[in-house]
C-alpha cells in the first residue's frame, strides 16, 4: 500500500505541474486577436488536479471518478497525438525544437497519469474483493 500512496502523490504533483505549465503558456504567449480561446481550452484542465487531489485524499470515496479521470486523459492523449501528427512544423522529423519537447512533456505526463490511475484501480479491486469460501 505504500507504493500506491506514493504514486497518488506523484499523480497530484504531475497534474499541478501540468496545469501550471499550461497556464504559463497561455499567459506568456504574445497577445493576439484570438488570445481568449486559449483560456477556454486550458480551463477544463483545472479539473484534473482537483480530481487527483480527491483521489489522493480518499480513494474509496472518490473511486467513481477514476474511470472519468482515465477517459479524460485518454482523450487528451489522442488529441495531442492528432495535433502532433497534423502540425507538420512541430514534428520530430523536421527538428527537435522546444515546442516538441513541451508536447512530449505533456504527452508523457498524460501517459503517466493513465498508468497511475490504472494501477490505483487494480489495487483498489484487490482490496475490495471478498474471498470465495469453498464448501466441503
Amino acid at each position: 500500500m505504500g507504493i500506491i500512496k506514493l504514486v497518488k502523490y506523484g499523480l497530484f504533483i504531475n497534474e499541478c505541474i501540468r496545469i501550471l505549465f499550461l497556464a504559463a503558456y497561455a499567459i506568456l504567449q504574445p497577445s493576439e486577436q484570438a488570445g481568449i480561446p486559449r483560456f477556454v481550452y486550458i480551463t477544463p484542465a483545472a479539473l484534473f488536479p482537483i480530481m487527483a487531489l480527491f483521489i489522493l485524499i480518499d480513494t474509496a470515496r472518490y473511486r467513481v471518478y477514476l474511470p472519468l479521470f482515465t477517459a479524460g486523459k485518454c482523450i487528451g492523449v489522442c488529441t495531442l497525438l492528432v495535433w502532433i501528427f497534423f502540425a507538420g512544423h512541430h514534428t520530430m522529423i523536421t527538428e527537435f525544437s522546444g515546442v516538441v519537447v513541451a508536447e512530449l512533456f505533456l504527452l508523457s505526463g498524460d501517459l503517466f497519469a493513465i498508468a497511475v490511475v490504472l494501477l490505483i484501480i487494480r489495487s483498489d479491486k484487490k482490496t475490495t474483493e471478498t474471498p470465495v469460501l469453498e464448501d466441503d
Side-chain angles (χ1 to χ4, degrees), residues 8-32:
K8 287 179 191 178
Y9 279 107
L11 177 66
F12 178 66
I13 291 169
N14 175 43
E15 292 302 320
C16 289
I17 290 172
R18 178 182 165 82
I19 194 69
L20 289 174
F21 179 76
L22 289 173
Y25 171 75
I27 292 171
L28 296 177
Q29 282 295 315
S31 61
E32 311 168 349

PDB file of all heavy atoms in Angstrom, residues 8-32:
ATOM      1  N   LYS A   8       0.086   8.146  -5.822  1.00  0.00           N
ATOM      2  CA  LYS A   8      -1.002   9.119  -5.725  1.00  0.00           C
ATOM      3  C   LYS A   8      -0.448  10.529  -5.559  1.00  0.00           C
ATOM      4  O   LYS A   8      -0.934  11.473  -6.187  1.00  0.00           O
ATOM      5  CB  LYS A   8      -1.929   8.790  -4.550  1.00  0.00           C
ATOM      6  CG  LYS A   8      -2.815   7.599  -4.775  1.00  0.00           C
ATOM      7  CD  LYS A   8      -3.655   7.369  -3.537  1.00  0.00           C
ATOM      8  CE  LYS A   8      -4.375   6.073  -3.563  1.00  0.00           C
ATOM      9  NZ  LYS A   8      -5.147   5.850  -2.331  1.00  0.00           N
ATOM     10  N   TYR A   9       0.581  10.664  -4.724  1.00  0.00           N
ATOM     11  CA  TYR A   9       1.240  11.964  -4.586  1.00  0.00           C
ATOM     12  C   TYR A   9       1.899  12.375  -5.903  1.00  0.00           C
ATOM     13  O   TYR A   9       1.857  13.540  -6.296  1.00  0.00           O
ATOM     14  CB  TYR A   9       2.289  11.936  -3.465  1.00  0.00           C
ATOM     15  CG  TYR A   9       1.714  12.104  -2.087  1.00  0.00           C
ATOM     16  CD1 TYR A   9       1.637  11.040  -1.208  1.00  0.00           C
ATOM     17  CD2 TYR A   9       1.252  13.336  -1.664  1.00  0.00           C
ATOM     18  CE1 TYR A   9       1.110  11.191   0.058  1.00  0.00           C
ATOM     19  CE2 TYR A   9       0.724  13.506  -0.394  1.00  0.00           C
ATOM     20  CZ  TYR A   9       0.655  12.430   0.456  1.00  0.00           C
ATOM     21  OH  TYR A   9       0.120  12.592   1.718  1.00  0.00           O
ATOM     22  N   GLY A  10       2.512  11.407  -6.578  1.00  0.00           N
ATOM     23  CA  GLY A  10       3.118  11.690  -7.877  1.00  0.00           C
ATOM     24  C   GLY A  10       2.094  12.140  -8.903  1.00  0.00           C
ATOM     25  O   GLY A  10       2.353  13.057  -9.695  1.00  0.00           O
ATOM     26  N   LEU A  11       0.915  11.529  -8.878  1.00  0.00           N
ATOM     27  CA  LEU A  11      -0.153  11.930  -9.788  1.00  0.00           C
ATOM     28  C   LEU A  11      -0.607  13.357  -9.507  1.00  0.00           C
ATOM     29  O   LEU A  11      -0.765  14.161 -10.431  1.00  0.00           O
ATOM     30  CB  LEU A  11      -1.340  10.969  -9.650  1.00  0.00           C
ATOM     31  CG  LEU A  11      -2.571  11.272 -10.479  1.00  0.00           C
ATOM     32  CD1 LEU A  11      -2.268  11.117 -11.960  1.00  0.00           C
ATOM     33  CD2 LEU A  11      -3.720  10.360 -10.078  1.00  0.00           C
ATOM     34  N   PHE A  12      -0.774  13.687  -8.239  1.00  0.00           N
ATOM     35  CA  PHE A  12      -1.205  15.031  -7.881  1.00  0.00           C
ATOM     36  C   PHE A  12      -0.159  16.072  -8.272  1.00  0.00           C
ATOM     37  O   PHE A  12      -0.483  17.124  -8.836  1.00  0.00           O
ATOM     38  CB  PHE A  12      -1.519  15.107  -6.384  1.00  0.00           C
ATOM     39  CG  PHE A  12      -1.930  16.469  -5.923  1.00  0.00           C
ATOM     40  CD1 PHE A  12      -3.109  17.035  -6.364  1.00  0.00           C
ATOM     41  CD2 PHE A  12      -1.122  17.184  -5.062  1.00  0.00           C
ATOM     42  CE1 PHE A  12      -3.491  18.306  -5.946  1.00  0.00           C
ATOM     43  CE2 PHE A  12      -1.492  18.454  -4.639  1.00  0.00           C
ATOM     44  CZ  PHE A  12      -2.680  19.006  -5.086  1.00  0.00           C
ATOM     45  N   ILE A  13       1.096  15.789  -7.992  1.00  0.00           N
ATOM     46  CA  ILE A  13       2.164  16.722  -8.347  1.00  0.00           C
ATOM     47  C   ILE A  13       2.268  16.869  -9.867  1.00  0.00           C
ATOM     48  O   ILE A  13       2.441  17.980 -10.387  1.00  0.00           O
ATOM     49  CB  ILE A  13       3.497  16.266  -7.723  1.00  0.00           C
ATOM     50  CG1 ILE A  13       3.427  16.435  -6.204  1.00  0.00           C
ATOM     51  CG2 ILE A  13       4.685  17.027  -8.302  1.00  0.00           C
ATOM     52  CD1 ILE A  13       4.562  15.778  -5.458  1.00  0.00           C
ATOM     53  N   ASN A  14       2.128  15.768 -10.588  1.00  0.00           N
ATOM     54  CA  ASN A  14       2.161  15.804 -12.050  1.00  0.00           C
ATOM     55  C   ASN A  14       1.052  16.690 -12.599  1.00  0.00           C
ATOM     56  O   ASN A  14       1.283  17.508 -13.500  1.00  0.00           O
ATOM     57  CB  ASN A  14       2.035  14.376 -12.605  1.00  0.00           C
ATOM     58  CG  ASN A  14       1.948  14.346 -14.105  1.00  0.00           C
ATOM     59  OD1 ASN A  14       2.667  15.050 -14.809  1.00  0.00           O
ATOM     60  ND2 ASN A  14       1.055  13.518 -14.605  1.00  0.00           N
ATOM     61  N   GLU A  15      -0.137  16.554 -12.064  1.00  0.00           N
ATOM     62  CA  GLU A  15      -1.262  17.353 -12.550  1.00  0.00           C
ATOM     63  C   GLU A  15      -1.091  18.833 -12.207  1.00  0.00           C
ATOM     64  O   GLU A  15      -1.462  19.699 -12.991  1.00  0.00           O
ATOM     65  CB  GLU A  15      -2.581  16.818 -11.995  1.00  0.00           C
ATOM     66  CG  GLU A  15      -2.964  15.464 -12.540  1.00  0.00           C
ATOM     67  CD  GLU A  15      -3.090  15.450 -14.047  1.00  0.00           C
ATOM     68  OE1 GLU A  15      -3.613  16.423 -14.628  1.00  0.00           O
ATOM     69  OE2 GLU A  15      -2.651  14.463 -14.649  1.00  0.00           O
ATOM     70  N   CYS A  16      -0.538  19.119 -11.027  1.00  0.00           N
ATOM     71  CA  CYS A  16      -0.300  20.525 -10.655  1.00  0.00           C
ATOM     72  C   CYS A  16       0.750  21.161 -11.564  1.00  0.00           C
ATOM     73  O   CYS A  16       0.583  22.300 -12.019  1.00  0.00           O
ATOM     74  CB  CYS A  16       0.125  20.622  -9.197  1.00  0.00           C
ATOM     75  SG  CYS A  16      -1.209  20.285  -8.050  1.00  0.00           S
ATOM     76  N   ILE A  17       1.822  20.427 -11.844  1.00  0.00           N
ATOM     77  CA  ILE A  17       2.859  20.950 -12.743  1.00  0.00           C
ATOM     78  C   ILE A  17       2.294  21.159 -14.132  1.00  0.00           C
ATOM     79  O   ILE A  17       2.578  22.159 -14.800  1.00  0.00           O
ATOM     80  CB  ILE A  17       4.079  20.005 -12.759  1.00  0.00           C
ATOM     81  CG1 ILE A  17       4.796  20.068 -11.423  1.00  0.00           C
ATOM     82  CG2 ILE A  17       5.030  20.349 -13.899  1.00  0.00           C
ATOM     83  CD1 ILE A  17       5.887  19.032 -11.259  1.00  0.00           C
ATOM     84  N   ARG A  18       1.462  20.226 -14.572  1.00  0.00           N
ATOM     85  CA  ARG A  18       0.865  20.336 -15.910  1.00  0.00           C
ATOM     86  C   ARG A  18      -0.023  21.575 -16.026  1.00  0.00           C
ATOM     87  O   ARG A  18       0.063  22.308 -16.998  1.00  0.00           O
ATOM     88  CB  ARG A  18       0.060  19.075 -16.203  1.00  0.00           C
ATOM     89  CG  ARG A  18      -0.642  19.096 -17.526  1.00  0.00           C
ATOM     90  CD  ARG A  18      -1.462  17.833 -17.707  1.00  0.00           C
ATOM     91  NE  ARG A  18      -2.408  17.956 -18.763  1.00  0.00           N
ATOM     92  CZ  ARG A  18      -2.138  17.788 -20.039  1.00  0.00           C
ATOM     93  NH1 ARG A  18      -0.930  17.474 -20.407  1.00  0.00           N
ATOM     94  NH2 ARG A  18      -3.074  17.922 -20.955  1.00  0.00           N
ATOM     95  N   ILE A  19      -0.863  21.842 -15.038  1.00  0.00           N
ATOM     96  CA  ILE A  19      -1.762  22.992 -15.131  1.00  0.00           C
ATOM     97  C   ILE A  19      -0.973  24.298 -15.013  1.00  0.00           C
ATOM     98  O   ILE A  19      -1.301  25.291 -15.670  1.00  0.00           O
ATOM     99  CB  ILE A  19      -2.920  22.914 -14.103  1.00  0.00           C
ATOM    100  CG1 ILE A  19      -4.029  23.920 -14.445  1.00  0.00           C
ATOM    101  CG2 ILE A  19      -2.436  23.156 -12.716  1.00  0.00           C
ATOM    102  CD1 ILE A  19      -4.786  23.612 -15.669  1.00  0.00           C
ATOM    103  N   LEU A  20       0.084  24.302 -14.205  1.00  0.00           N
ATOM    104  CA  LEU A  20       0.930  25.488 -14.133  1.00  0.00           C
ATOM    105  C   LEU A  20       1.644  25.742 -15.456  1.00  0.00           C
ATOM    106  O   LEU A  20       1.769  26.886 -15.902  1.00  0.00           O
ATOM    107  CB  LEU A  20       1.946  25.349 -13.001  1.00  0.00           C
ATOM    108  CG  LEU A  20       1.381  25.434 -11.587  1.00  0.00           C
ATOM    109  CD1 LEU A  20       2.471  25.140 -10.566  1.00  0.00           C
ATOM    110  CD2 LEU A  20       0.752  26.781 -11.337  1.00  0.00           C
ATOM    111  N   PHE A  21       2.091  24.683 -16.093  1.00  0.00           N
ATOM    112  CA  PHE A  21       2.742  24.788 -17.396  1.00  0.00           C
ATOM    113  C   PHE A  21       1.770  25.345 -18.439  1.00  0.00           C
ATOM    114  O   PHE A  21       2.117  26.238 -19.218  1.00  0.00           O
ATOM    115  CB  PHE A  21       3.274  23.406 -17.807  1.00  0.00           C
ATOM    116  CG  PHE A  21       3.946  23.379 -19.134  1.00  0.00           C
ATOM    117  CD1 PHE A  21       5.226  23.877 -19.285  1.00  0.00           C
ATOM    118  CD2 PHE A  21       3.304  22.842 -20.232  1.00  0.00           C
ATOM    119  CE1 PHE A  21       5.855  23.847 -20.517  1.00  0.00           C
ATOM    120  CE2 PHE A  21       3.911  22.809 -21.462  1.00  0.00           C
ATOM    121  CZ  PHE A  21       5.195  23.319 -21.607  1.00  0.00           C
ATOM    122  N   LEU A  22       0.548  24.820 -18.459  1.00  0.00           N
ATOM    123  CA  LEU A  22      -0.451  25.297 -19.422  1.00  0.00           C
ATOM    124  C   LEU A  22      -0.851  26.737 -19.148  1.00  0.00           C
ATOM    125  O   LEU A  22      -1.035  27.534 -20.083  1.00  0.00           O
ATOM    126  CB  LEU A  22      -1.685  24.389 -19.394  1.00  0.00           C
ATOM    127  CG  LEU A  22      -1.503  23.000 -19.981  1.00  0.00           C
ATOM    128  CD1 LEU A  22      -2.745  22.151 -19.720  1.00  0.00           C
ATOM    129  CD2 LEU A  22      -1.204  23.063 -21.455  1.00  0.00           C
ATOM    130  N   ALA A  23      -0.986  27.094 -17.888  1.00  0.00           N
ATOM    131  CA  ALA A  23      -1.337  28.475 -17.550  1.00  0.00           C
ATOM    132  C   ALA A  23      -0.223  29.435 -17.931  1.00  0.00           C
ATOM    133  O   ALA A  23      -0.475  30.532 -18.453  1.00  0.00           O
ATOM    134  CB  ALA A  23      -1.657  28.584 -16.067  1.00  0.00           C
ATOM    135  N   ALA A  24       1.017  29.034 -17.688  1.00  0.00           N
ATOM    136  CA  ALA A  24       2.149  29.889 -18.066  1.00  0.00           C
ATOM    137  C   ALA A  24       2.203  30.062 -19.575  1.00  0.00           C
ATOM    138  O   ALA A  24       2.491  31.153 -20.076  1.00  0.00           O
ATOM    139  CB  ALA A  24       3.448  29.291 -17.547  1.00  0.00           C
ATOM    140  N   TYR A  25       1.920  29.006 -20.304  1.00  0.00           N
ATOM    141  CA  TYR A  25       1.890  29.092 -21.766  1.00  0.00           C
ATOM    142  C   TYR A  25       0.821  30.081 -22.221  1.00  0.00           C
ATOM    143  O   TYR A  25       1.053  30.901 -23.104  1.00  0.00           O
ATOM    144  CB  TYR A  25       1.629  27.718 -22.377  1.00  0.00           C
ATOM    145  CG  TYR A  25       1.369  27.768 -23.860  1.00  0.00           C
ATOM    146  CD1 TYR A  25       2.406  27.980 -24.754  1.00  0.00           C
ATOM    147  CD2 TYR A  25       0.080  27.622 -24.366  1.00  0.00           C
ATOM    148  CE1 TYR A  25       2.173  28.036 -26.119  1.00  0.00           C
ATOM    149  CE2 TYR A  25      -0.158  27.678 -25.721  1.00  0.00           C
ATOM    150  CZ  TYR A  25       0.889  27.885 -26.581  1.00  0.00           C
ATOM    151  OH  TYR A  25       0.647  27.949 -27.920  1.00  0.00           O
ATOM    152  N   ALA A  26      -0.348  30.000 -21.624  1.00  0.00           N
ATOM    153  CA  ALA A  26      -1.443  30.889 -22.026  1.00  0.00           C
ATOM    154  C   ALA A  26      -1.149  32.338 -21.679  1.00  0.00           C
ATOM    155  O   ALA A  26      -1.499  33.249 -22.433  1.00  0.00           O
ATOM    156  CB  ALA A  26      -2.745  30.450 -21.361  1.00  0.00           C
ATOM    157  N   ILE A  27      -0.510  32.570 -20.560  1.00  0.00           N
ATOM    158  CA  ILE A  27      -0.245  33.946 -20.129  1.00  0.00           C
ATOM    159  C   ILE A  27       0.944  34.554 -20.859  1.00  0.00           C
ATOM    160  O   ILE A  27       0.919  35.729 -21.235  1.00  0.00           O
ATOM    161  CB  ILE A  27      -0.032  33.979 -18.603  1.00  0.00           C
ATOM    162  CG1 ILE A  27      -1.348  33.649 -17.903  1.00  0.00           C
ATOM    163  CG2 ILE A  27       0.496  35.322 -18.157  1.00  0.00           C
ATOM    164  CD1 ILE A  27      -1.219  33.440 -16.418  1.00  0.00           C
ATOM    165  N   LEU A  28       1.991  33.774 -21.094  1.00  0.00           N
ATOM    166  CA  LEU A  28       3.216  34.312 -21.660  1.00  0.00           C
ATOM    167  C   LEU A  28       3.222  34.422 -23.183  1.00  0.00           C
ATOM    168  O   LEU A  28       4.153  35.002 -23.740  1.00  0.00           O
ATOM    169  CB  LEU A  28       4.415  33.472 -21.201  1.00  0.00           C
ATOM    170  CG  LEU A  28       4.677  33.491 -19.700  1.00  0.00           C
ATOM    171  CD1 LEU A  28       5.830  32.579 -19.356  1.00  0.00           C
ATOM    172  CD2 LEU A  28       4.927  34.906 -19.211  1.00  0.00           C
ATOM    173  N   GLN A  29       2.231  33.863 -23.845  1.00  0.00           N
ATOM    174  CA  GLN A  29       2.153  33.994 -25.299  1.00  0.00           C
ATOM    175  C   GLN A  29       1.847  35.438 -25.657  1.00  0.00           C
ATOM    176  O   GLN A  29       1.105  36.116 -24.952  1.00  0.00           O
ATOM    177  CB  GLN A  29       1.050  33.088 -25.860  1.00  0.00           C
ATOM    178  CG  GLN A  29       1.459  31.648 -25.942  1.00  0.00           C
ATOM    179  CD  GLN A  29       2.587  31.429 -26.914  1.00  0.00           C
ATOM    180  OE1 GLN A  29       2.584  31.956 -28.013  1.00  0.00           O
ATOM    181  NE2 GLN A  29       3.570  30.659 -26.501  1.00  0.00           N
ATOM    182  N   PRO A  30       2.411  35.918 -26.763  1.00  0.00           N
ATOM    183  CA  PRO A  30       2.077  37.282 -27.176  1.00  0.00           C
ATOM    184  C   PRO A  30       0.578  37.400 -27.464  1.00  0.00           C
ATOM    185  O   PRO A  30      -0.033  36.468 -27.951  1.00  0.00           O
ATOM    186  CB  PRO A  30       2.892  37.502 -28.443  1.00  0.00           C
ATOM    187  CG  PRO A  30       3.593  36.244 -28.731  1.00  0.00           C
ATOM    188  CD  PRO A  30       3.346  35.268 -27.636  1.00  0.00           C
ATOM    189  N   SER A  31       0.032  38.546 -27.113  1.00  0.00           N
ATOM    190  CA  SER A  31      -1.415  38.709 -27.276  1.00  0.00           C
ATOM    191  C   SER A  31      -1.772  38.774 -28.759  1.00  0.00           C
ATOM    192  O   SER A  31      -1.097  39.391 -29.562  1.00  0.00           O
ATOM    193  CB  SER A  31      -1.892  39.969 -26.566  1.00  0.00           C
ATOM    194  OG  SER A  31      -1.261  41.089 -27.120  1.00  0.00           O
ATOM    195  N   GLU A  32      -2.834  38.094 -29.069  1.00  0.00           N
ATOM    196  CA  GLU A  32      -3.366  38.047 -30.426  1.00  0.00           C
ATOM    197  C   GLU A  32      -4.835  38.414 -30.363  1.00  0.00           C
ATOM    198  O   GLU A  32      -5.401  38.594 -29.291  1.00  0.00           O
ATOM    199  CB  GLU A  32      -3.246  36.630 -31.000  1.00  0.00           C
ATOM    200  CG  GLU A  32      -1.909  35.986 -30.850  1.00  0.00           C
ATOM    201  CD  GLU A  32      -1.979  34.505 -31.182  1.00  0.00           C
ATOM    202  OE1 GLU A  32      -3.085  33.952 -31.317  1.00  0.00           O
ATOM    203  OE2 GLU A  32      -0.916  33.899 -31.294  1.00  0.00           O
TER     204      GLU A  32
END
